[in-house]
Coordinates of all heavy atoms in Angstrom, one line a residue:
Chain B
L120 N 270.0 5.5 61.2 CA 268.6 5.5 61.2 C 268.0 4.7 62.3 O 267.0 5.1 62.8 CB 268.1 4.8 59.9 CG 268.2 5.5 58.6 CD1 267.4 4.9 57.5 CD2 267.9 7.0 58.7
K121 N 268.6 3.6 62.6 CA 268.0 2.8 63.8 C 268.2 3.6 65.0 O 267.4 3.3 66.0 CB 268.7 1.4 63.7 CG 268.2 0.5 62.6 CD 268.8 -0.9 62.6 CE 268.5 -1.6 61.3 NZ 269.3 -2.7 61.1
S122 N 269.3 4.2 65.3 CA 269.5 4.9 66.5 C 268.8 6.2 66.7 O 268.6 6.6 67.8 CB 271.0 5.0 66.7 OG 271.5 6.1 65.8
N123 N 268.2 6.7 65.6 CA 267.5 7.9 65.7 C 266.3 7.9 64.7 O 266.4 8.4 63.6 CB 268.5 9.0 65.2 CG 267.8 10.4 65.3 OD1 266.7 10.6 65.7 ND2 268.8 11.4 64.9
P124 N 265.2 7.4 65.3 CA 264.0 7.3 64.3 C 263.4 8.6 63.8 O 262.9 8.7 62.9 CB 262.9 6.7 65.3 CG 263.7 6.0 66.4 CD 265.0 6.8 66.5
E125 N 263.8 9.7 64.6 CA 263.5 11.1 64.1 C 264.2 11.4 62.9 O 263.6 12.0 61.9 CB 263.8 12.1 65.2 CG 263.1 11.9 66.6 CD 261.7 12.3 66.5 OE1 261.2 12.9 65.5 OE2 260.9 11.9 67.4
A126 N 265.4 10.9 62.8 CA 266.2 11.1 61.4 C 265.5 10.5 60.3 O 265.3 11.1 59.3 CB 267.7 10.7 61.5
G127 N 265.0 9.3 60.6 CA 264.3 8.4 59.6 C 263.0 9.1 59.1 O 262.7 9.2 58.0
I128 N 262.3 9.7 60.1 CA 261.1 10.4 59.8 C 261.4 11.6 58.9 O 260.6 11.9 57.9 CB 260.3 10.7 61.1 CG1 259.8 9.4 61.5 CG2 259.1 11.7 60.8 CD1 259.1 9.5 62.9
A129 N 262.5 12.4 59.3 CA 262.8 13.5 58.5 C 263.2 13.1 57.1 O 262.8 13.9 56.2 CB 263.9 14.3 59.2
I130 N 263.8 11.9 56.9 CA 264.2 11.6 55.6 C 263.0 11.2 54.9 O 262.9 11.5 53.6 CB 265.3 10.5 55.7 CG1 266.6 11.0 56.2 CG2 265.5 9.6 54.3 CD1 267.6 9.9 56.7
M131 N 262.0 10.5 55.5 CA 260.6 10.2 54.8 C 260.1 11.4 54.4 O 259.4 11.4 53.4 CB 259.8 9.4 55.8 CG 260.2 7.9 55.9 SD 259.0 7.1 57.1 CE 260.1 5.9 57.8
A132 N 260.1 12.4 55.2 CA 259.5 13.8 54.8 C 260.1 14.2 53.4 O 259.3 14.7 52.4 CB 259.7 14.9 55.8
N133 N 261.5 14.2 53.3 CA 262.1 14.6 52.1 C 261.7 13.7 50.9 O 261.5 14.1 49.8 CB 263.7 14.3 52.3 CG 264.2 15.4 53.1 OD1 263.5 16.4 53.4 ND2 265.4 15.2 53.7
M134 N 261.6 12.4 51.1 CA 261.3 11.3 50.1 C 259.8 11.6 49.6 O 259.6 11.6 48.5 CB 261.5 9.9 50.6 CG 263.0 9.6 50.7 SD 263.1 7.9 51.6 CE 263.3 6.9 50.1
S135 N 259.0 12.0 50.7 CA 257.6 12.2 50.2 C 257.4 13.4 49.4 O 256.6 13.4 48.4 CB 256.9 12.3 51.7 OG 255.6 12.1 51.4
I136 N 258.2 14.5 49.8 CA 258.1 15.7 49.1 C 258.6 15.5 47.6 O 258.0 15.9 46.7 CB 258.9 16.9 49.7 CG1 258.3 17.3 51.0 CG2 259.2 18.0 48.8 CD1 259.1 18.2 51.9
R137 N 259.7 14.7 47.6 CA 260.3 14.3 46.3 C 259.3 13.5 45.4 O 259.1 13.7 44.1 CB 261.5 13.5 46.6 CG 262.3 13.0 45.4 CD 263.2 14.2 45.0 NE 263.1 14.2 43.5 CZ 263.5 15.2 42.8 NH1 264.1 16.3 43.2 NH2 263.2 15.2 41.5
L138 N 258.5 12.5 46.1 CA 257.6 11.8 45.3 C 256.4 12.7 44.8 O 256.0 12.5 43.6 CB 256.9 10.6 46.3 CG 257.9 9.4 46.4 CD1 257.5 8.6 47.6 CD2 257.9 8.6 45.2
H139 N 256.0 13.7 45.6 CA 254.9 14.6 45.2 C 255.5 15.4 43.9 O 254.7 15.6 42.9 CB 254.4 15.4 46.3 CG 253.5 14.8 47.1 ND1 252.1 14.6 46.8 CD2 253.6 14.1 48.3 CE1 251.5 13.9 47.8 NE2 252.4 13.6 48.7
H140 N 256.7 15.8 44.0 CA 257.3 16.6 43.0 C 257.4 15.8 41.7 O 257.0 16.2 40.6 CB 258.7 17.1 43.3 CG 259.3 17.8 42.3 ND1 260.2 17.1 41.4 CD2 259.4 19.2 41.9 CE1 260.8 18.0 40.5 NE2 260.3 19.2 40.9
D141 N 257.8 14.4 41.7 CA 257.8 13.6 40.6 C 256.4 13.4 40.0 O 256.3 13.3 38.8 CB 258.4 12.2 41.0 CG 260.0 12.2 41.2 OD1 260.4 13.4 41.0 OD2 260.5 11.4 41.6
L142 N 255.5 13.2 41.0 CA 254.1 12.9 40.5 C 253.6 14.1 39.6 O 253.0 14.0 38.5 CB 253.2 12.8 41.7 CG 251.8 12.1 41.6 CD1 252.2 10.7 41.3 CD2 251.1 12.2 42.9
Y143 N 253.9 15.3 40.0 CA 253.5 16.6 39.3 C 254.2 16.6 37.9 O 253.6 16.9 37.0 CB 254.0 17.8 40.2 CG 253.7 19.1 39.5 CD1 252.4 19.5 39.5 CD2 254.6 19.8 38.9 CE1 252.1 20.8 39.0 CE2 254.4 21.0 38.3 CZ 253.1 21.5 38.3 OH 252.9 22.7 37.7
E144 N 255.5 16.2 38.0 CA 256.3 16.3 36.7 C 255.8 15.4 35.8 O 255.6 15.5 34.6 CB 257.8 16.0 37.0 CG 258.7 16.5 35.9 CD 260.1 16.8 36.4 OE1 260.3 16.9 37.6 OE2 261.1 16.8 35.5
I145 N 255.4 14.1 36.2 CA 254.9 13.0 35.4 C 253.6 13.5 34.8 O 253.3 13.3 33.6 CB 254.8 11.8 36.2 CG1 256.2 11.2 36.4 CG2 254.0 10.7 35.3 CD1 256.3 10.0 37.4
E146 N 252.8 14.1 35.7 CA 251.4 14.6 35.3 C 251.6 15.7 34.1 O 251.0 15.5 33.0 CB 250.7 15.2 36.4 CG 249.4 16.0 36.1 CD 248.2 14.8 36.3 OE1 248.4 13.9 37.0 OE2 247.1 15.2 35.8
M147 N 252.5 16.7 34.3 CA 252.9 17.6 33.3 C 253.3 17.0 32.0 O 252.9 17.4 31.0 CB 253.8 18.7 33.8 CG 253.2 19.5 35.1 SD 251.8 20.5 34.5 CE 250.6 19.7 35.4
L148 N 254.3 16.2 32.2 CA 254.9 15.6 30.9 C 253.8 14.8 30.2 O 253.8 14.7 29.0 CB 256.1 14.7 31.3 CG 257.4 15.4 31.6 CD1 258.3 14.4 32.3 CD2 258.0 15.9 30.3
S149 N 253.0 14.0 31.0 CA 251.9 13.2 30.3 C 250.9 14.1 29.5 O 250.6 13.8 28.4 CB 251.2 12.4 31.4 OG 252.0 11.6 32.1
V150 N 250.6 15.2 30.2 CA 249.7 16.1 29.5 C 250.2 16.7 28.3 O 249.7 16.8 27.2 CB 249.1 17.2 30.4 CG1 248.4 18.3 29.7 CG2 248.3 16.6 31.5
E151 N 251.5 17.2 28.4 CA 252.3 17.6 27.3 C 252.4 16.7 26.2 O 252.1 16.9 25.0 CB 253.7 18.0 27.8 CG 254.3 19.2 27.1 CD 253.4 20.3 26.9 OE1 253.0 21.0 27.8 OE2 253.1 20.6 25.6
N152 N 252.7 15.4 26.6 CA 252.8 14.4 25.5 C 251.5 14.0 24.9 O 251.3 13.9 23.6 CB 253.1 13.0 26.3 CG 254.6 12.7 25.8 OD1 255.4 13.4 25.2 ND2 255.0 11.4 26.2
A153 N 250.3 14.1 25.7 CA 249.0 13.9 25.1 C 248.7 15.0 24.1 O 248.2 14.8 23.1 CB 248.0 13.9 26.3
K154 N 249.1 16.3 24.5 CA 248.9 17.4 23.6 C 249.6 17.2 22.3 O 249.0 17.5 21.2 CB 249.2 18.7 24.4 CG 248.8 20.0 23.6 CD 249.1 21.3 24.5 CE 250.2 21.9 23.7 NZ 250.8 23.1 24.4
N155 N 250.9 16.8 22.5 CA 251.6 16.7 21.2 C 251.1 15.5 20.4 O 251.1 15.7 19.1 CB 253.1 16.2 21.7 CG 253.9 17.5 21.9 OD1 253.7 18.5 21.4 ND2 255.0 17.3 22.8
R156 N 250.6 14.4 21.0 CA 250.0 13.4 20.1 C 248.7 13.9 19.5 O 248.5 13.6 18.4 CB 249.7 12.2 21.1 CG 251.1 11.4 21.6 CD 250.6 10.0 21.8 NE 249.9 9.9 23.2 CZ 250.4 10.1 24.4 NH1 251.7 10.1 24.5 NH2 249.7 10.0 25.5
L157 N 248.0 14.7 20.3 CA 246.7 15.2 19.6 C 247.0 16.1 18.4 O 246.4 16.1 17.4 CB 245.9 15.9 20.6 CG 244.6 16.6 20.2 CD1 243.7 15.5 19.4 CD2 243.8 17.2 21.3
L158 N 248.0 17.1 18.7 CA 248.4 18.0 17.6 C 249.0 17.2 16.4 O 248.6 17.5 15.3 CB 249.4 18.9 18.2 CG 249.0 20.0 19.2 CD1 250.1 20.8 19.7 CD2 248.0 20.9 18.5
L159 N 249.8 16.2 16.7 CA 250.4 15.4 15.5 C 249.2 14.8 14.8 O 249.2 14.8 13.6 CB 251.3 14.4 16.1 CG 252.7 14.8 16.4 CD1 253.5 13.8 17.3 CD2 253.4 14.9 15.0
F160 N 248.2 14.3 15.6 CA 247.1 13.6 14.9 C 246.3 14.6 14.1 O 245.9 14.3 12.9 CB 246.2 12.9 15.9 CG 244.9 12.4 15.3 CD1 244.9 11.1 14.8 CD2 243.7 13.2 15.3 CE1 243.7 10.7 14.2 CE2 242.5 12.8 14.7 CZ 242.5 11.4 14.2
L161 N 246.0 15.8 14.5 CA 245.2 16.8 13.9 C 246.0 17.2 12.6 O 245.5 17.3 11.5 CB 245.0 18.0 14.6 CG 244.1 17.8 15.8 CD1 244.0 19.0 16.7 CD2 242.7 17.3 15.5
M162 N 247.5 17.3 12.6 CA 248.2 17.7 11.5 C 248.3 16.7 10.4 O 248.3 17.0 9.3 CB 249.7 17.9 12.0 CG 249.8 19.4 12.8 SD 251.5 19.4 13.4 CE 251.2 20.5 14.8
Q163 N 248.2 15.5 10.9 CA 248.2 14.3 10.0 C 246.9 14.1 9.3 O 246.9 13.6 8.2 CB 248.5 12.9 10.8 CG 249.9 12.7 10.9 CD 249.9 11.3 11.5 OE1 250.0 11.2 12.7 NE2 250.0 10.2 10.7
N164 N 245.9 14.5 9.9 CA 244.5 14.1 9.3 C 243.7 15.3 8.7 O 242.5 15.0 8.6 CB 243.8 13.4 10.4 CG 244.3 12.1 10.8 OD1 244.2 11.1 9.9 ND2 245.1 12.0 11.8
I165 N 244.4 16.4 8.4 CA 243.5 17.4 7.8 C 243.1 16.9 6.3 O 243.9 16.4 5.6 CB 244.5 18.7 7.5 CG1 244.9 19.2 9.0 CG2 243.8 19.8 6.8 CD1 245.8 20.3 9.0
Q166 N 241.8 17.0 6.1 CA 241.3 16.4 4.8 C 241.1 17.5 3.9 O 241.6 17.4 2.8 CB 240.0 15.6 5.2 CG 240.3 14.4 5.9 CD 239.1 13.9 6.7 OE1 238.0 14.2 6.4 NE2 239.3 13.2 7.8
D167 N 240.3 18.5 4.2 CA 240.1 19.7 3.3 C 240.9 20.9 3.7 O 240.6 21.3 4.8 CB 238.7 19.9 3.1 CG 238.0 18.8 2.2 OD1 238.5 18.5 1.1 OD2 237.0 18.3 2.8
K168 N 241.8 21.2 2.9 CA 242.6 22.3 3.4 C 242.4 23.5 2.4 O 242.3 23.4 1.3 CB 244.2 22.0 3.2 CG 245.1 22.6 4.1 CD 246.5 21.9 4.0 CE 247.4 22.6 4.8 NZ 248.8 21.8 4.6
D169 N 242.1 24.6 3.1 CA 241.8 25.9 2.4 C 242.6 27.0 2.9 O 242.2 27.5 4.0 CB 240.3 26.1 2.4 CG 240.0 27.4 1.5 OD1 240.7 28.0 0.9 OD2 238.8 27.9 1.8
G170 N 243.8 27.3 2.4 CA 244.7 28.3 2.9 C 245.1 27.7 4.4 O 245.7 26.8 4.5
N171 N 244.7 28.6 5.4 CA 245.2 28.3 6.7 C 244.1 27.6 7.5 O 244.3 27.4 8.7 CB 245.5 29.6 7.4 CG 246.7 29.5 8.4 OD1 247.3 28.4 8.4 ND2 246.8 30.4 9.1
E172 N 242.9 27.2 6.7 CA 241.9 26.5 7.4 C 242.0 25.0 7.0 O 242.4 24.6 5.9 CB 240.5 27.0 7.0 CG 240.1 28.3 7.8 CD 238.7 28.5 7.7 OE1 237.8 27.5 7.5 OE2 238.3 29.7 7.8
G173 N 241.3 24.1 7.8 CA 241.2 22.7 7.5 C 240.1 22.1 8.1 O 239.5 22.6 9.1
V174 N 239.8 20.8 7.7 CA 238.6 20.1 8.2 C 239.0 18.7 8.4 O 239.8 18.2 7.7 CB 237.3 20.3 7.4 CG1 236.3 19.2 7.7 CG2 236.7 21.7 7.4
I175 N 238.6 18.1 9.6 CA 238.9 16.7 9.8 C 237.4 16.1 10.1 O 236.8 16.6 11.0 CB 239.8 16.6 10.9 CG1 241.2 17.0 10.8 CG2 239.9 15.1 11.3 CD1 242.1 17.1 11.9
E176 N 237.0 15.1 9.4 CA 235.8 14.3 9.8 C 236.3 13.0 10.6 O 236.9 12.2 9.9 CB 234.9 13.9 8.6 CG 234.5 15.0 7.7 CD 233.4 15.9 8.4 OE1 232.8 15.5 9.4 OE2 233.2 17.1 7.8
L177 N 236.0 12.9 11.8 CA 236.4 11.7 12.6 C 235.5 10.6 12.2 O 234.2 10.8 12.3 CB 236.4 11.8 14.0 CG 237.3 13.0 14.6 CD1 237.1 13.1 16.1 CD2 238.7 12.7 14.3
D178 N 236.0 9.4 11.7 CA 235.1 8.3 11.5 C 235.1 7.3 12.6 O 234.6 6.2 12.5 CB 235.4 7.7 10.2 CG 236.9 7.3 10.0 OD1 237.6 7.3 11.1 OD2 237.3 6.8 8.9
I179 N 235.7 7.7 13.8 CA 235.5 6.8 14.9 C 235.1 7.7 16.2 O 235.2 8.9 16.1 CB 236.9 6.1 15.3 CG1 238.0 7.3 15.3 CG2 237.3 5.0 14.4 CD1 239.3 6.8 15.8
P180 N 234.5 7.0 17.2 CA 234.0 7.9 18.3 C 235.1 8.5 19.0 O 236.3 8.0 19.0 CB 233.4 6.9 19.2 CG 233.0 5.6 18.4 CD 234.1 5.8 17.4
K181 N 235.0 9.7 19.6 CA 236.0 10.4 20.3 C 236.7 9.6 21.3 O 237.9 9.6 21.5 CB 235.5 11.7 20.8 CG 235.5 12.9 19.9 CD 235.4 14.3 20.6 CE 233.9 14.4 21.0 NZ 233.9 15.8 21.7
R182 N 235.8 8.9 22.1 CA 236.3 8.0 23.2 C 237.3 7.0 22.7 O 238.3 6.7 23.3 CB 235.2 7.3 23.8 CG 235.4 6.5 25.0 CD 234.1 6.2 25.9 NE 233.9 7.4 26.6 CZ 234.3 7.5 28.0 NH1 235.1 6.7 28.6 NH2 233.9 8.6 28.6
T183 N 237.0 6.4 21.4 CA 237.9 5.5 20.8 C 239.3 6.1 20.4 O 240.4 5.6 20.6 CB 237.3 4.8 19.7 OG1 235.9 4.4 20.0 CG2 238.0 3.6 19.1
L184 N 239.1 7.3 19.8 CA 240.2 8.1 19.4 C 241.2 8.4 20.6 O 242.4 8.2 20.6 CB 239.8 9.4 18.6 CG 241.0 10.2 18.2 CD1 242.0 9.5 17.3 CD2 240.5 11.5 17.6
A185 N 240.5 8.8 21.7 CA 241.4 9.1 22.9 C 242.1 7.8 23.3 O 243.3 8.0 23.6 CB 240.4 9.7 24.0
S186 N 241.5 6.8 23.2 CA 242.1 5.5 23.7 C 243.2 5.1 22.8 O 244.2 4.7 23.2 CB 241.0 4.5 23.9 OG 241.6 3.2 23.7
L187 N 242.9 5.3 21.5 CA 244.0 5.0 20.5 C 245.3 5.9 20.7 O 246.5 5.5 20.4 CB 243.4 5.2 19.0 CG 242.5 3.9 18.6 CD1 241.9 4.3 17.3 CD2 243.4 2.6 18.5
L188 N 245.0 7.2 21.0 CA 246.1 8.1 21.2 C 246.7 8.0 22.7 O 247.6 8.8 23.0 CB 245.6 9.6 21.2 CG 245.2 10.0 19.5 CD1 244.5 11.4 19.6 CD2 246.4 10.0 18.7
S189 N 246.2 6.9 23.4 CA 246.6 6.7 24.8 C 246.5 7.9 25.6 O 247.4 8.5 26.4 CB 248.2 6.4 24.8 OG 248.4 5.2 24.1
I190 N 245.3 8.7 25.5 CA 245.0 9.8 26.3 C 243.8 9.4 27.1 O 242.9 9.0 26.6 CB 244.7 11.1 25.4 CG1 245.9 11.3 24.5 CG2 244.3 12.2 26.2 CD1 245.7 12.5 23.4
Q191 N 243.8 9.9 28.4 CA 242.7 9.6 29.3 C 241.4 10.4 28.7 O 241.7 11.7 28.3 CB 243.0 10.3 30.7 CG 244.1 9.4 31.5 CD 243.6 8.1 31.9 OE1 242.4 7.8 32.2 NE2 244.4 7.1 31.9
P192 N 240.3 9.8 28.6 CA 239.2 10.6 28.2 C 239.1 12.0 28.7 O 238.8 13.0 27.9 CB 238.0 9.6 28.5 CG 238.5 8.3 28.8 CD 239.9 8.5 29.2
E193 N 239.1 12.2 30.0 CA 239.0 13.4 30.6 C 240.0 14.5 30.1 O 239.8 15.6 29.8 CB 238.9 13.5 32.2 CG 240.2 12.9 32.8 CD 240.0 12.5 34.3 OE1 238.9 12.4 34.7 OE2 241.0 12.5 35.0
T194 N 241.4 14.0 29.9 CA 242.4 14.8 29.3 C 242.1 15.2 27.9 O 242.2 16.3 27.6 CB 243.7 14.1 29.5 OG1 243.9 13.7 30.8 CG2 245.0 15.0 29.0
F195 N 241.7 14.3 27.1 CA 241.3 14.4 25.8 C 240.2 15.5 25.7 O 240.4 16.5 24.8 CB 240.8 13.1 25.2 CG 240.6 13.2 23.7 CD1 241.7 13.1 22.9 CD2 239.3 13.3 23.1 CE1 241.5 13.1 21.4 CE2 239.1 13.3 21.9 CZ 240.2 13.2 20.9
S196 N 239.1 15.5 26.4 CA 238.1 16.4 26.3 C 238.6 17.8 26.7 O 238.4 18.9 26.2 CB 237.0 16.2 27.3 OG 236.4 14.9 27.0
R197 N 239.4 17.8 27.8 CA 240.1 19.0 28.4 C 240.9 19.7 27.2 O 240.9 20.9 27.0 CB 241.0 18.8 29.6 CG 241.4 19.9 30.4 CD 241.5 19.5 31.9 NE 242.1 18.3 32.0 CZ 243.3 18.0 32.4 NH1 244.2 19.0 32.5 NH2 243.8 16.8 32.7

Side-chain angles (χ1 to χ4, degrees):
Chain B
L120 290 194
K121 282 178 193 165
S122 68
N123 181 5
E125 300 287 347
I128 289 169
I130 290 163
M131 282 185 213
N133 289 342
M134 291 171 97
S135 202
I136 290 167
R137 187 76 233 167
L138 281 165
H139 279 277
H140 176 268
D141 287 355
L142 201 67
Y143 178 80
E144 195 157 342
I145 290 169
E146 178 91 20
M147 288 302 107
L148 282 167
S149 302
V150 168
E151 210 43 70
N152 251 9
K154 190 177 112 187
N155 276 332
R156 286 200 293 275
L157 176 59
L158 287 172
L159 276 165
F160 173 84
L161 294 177
M162 289 174 200
Q163 270 185 267
N164 287 285
I165 297 171
Q166 288 154 25
D167 286 306
K168 206 170 179 180
D169 179 10
N171 214 8
E172 276 197 32
V174 163
I175 297 167
E176 302 287 348
L177 297 181
D178 55 5
I179 49 174
K181 270 198 288 179
R182 186 162 279 268
T183 310
L184 176 60
S186 159
L187 285 167
L188 291 170
S189 303
I190 302 178
Q191 292 293 327
E193 60 193 26
T194 305
F195 187 78
S196 302
R197 195 147 41 96

